[in-house]
Amino acid sequence: MIQHTMFVQFTAPIPENDLKQYLADIETAAKGTGVLRTFAAQRHIPVPGEEEIPAFIATAVVQLGTADLEALGTLFAAPEVGEVFDTWRARYPFKAAWANHEALA
């Protein structure tokens, strides 16, 4: 199985209900591709003083699991997944970083 772990950093504060909806929309769109095997997401847990660290600090982390690289490619190419990102980026600008990997032990 291939895991796609995505770190999402909203450039301005996002209300909790909107963040929950954003994550739900990603899950719904990814499931709609027919290739999603697993999905997990949650808000970043801040540590006092971390805002002073010059690093990419995510607002949330999302992990999508697919059977293989071909399925992951299908997920990336799905118009409904792209539409979710475009819609939410227009409402709340964000940056993303990710890594594709096998399951971590």
Side-chain angles (χ1 to χ4, degrees):
M1 177 142 67
I2 301 296
Q3 297 291 326
H4 172 76
T5 301
M6 180 173 64
F7 299 92
V8 181
Q9 179 191 66
F10 287 91
T11 56
I14 180 171
E16 189 65 29
N17 286 340
D18 286 349
L19 179 60
K20 287 179 182 178
Q21 188 60 57
Y22 165 79
L23 297 173
D25 289 353
I26 293 172
E27 182 176 15
T28 299
K31 282 182 176 177
T33 67
V35 299
L36 186 68
R37 287 220 172 149
T38 62
F39 179 88
Q42 69 179 32
R43 179 179 272 282
H44 165 71
I45 301 168
V47 174
E50 72 180 15
E51 63 279 353
E52 301 300 321
I53 300 169
F56 183 98
I57 299 173
T59 306
V61 62
V62 179
Q63 193 168 70
L64 303 111
T66 61
D68 51 33
L69 284 173
E70 183 179 344
L72 183 60
T74 298
L75 189 99
F76 269 112
E80 60 267 38
V81 173
E83 288 172 14
V84 168
F85 291 123
D86 292 344
T87 297
W88 279 95
R89 189 173 280 119
R91 290 181 68 194
Y92 296 101
F94 64 87
K95 299 175 188 174
W98 64 79
N100 300 318
H101 56 90
E102 293 181 353
L104 302 174

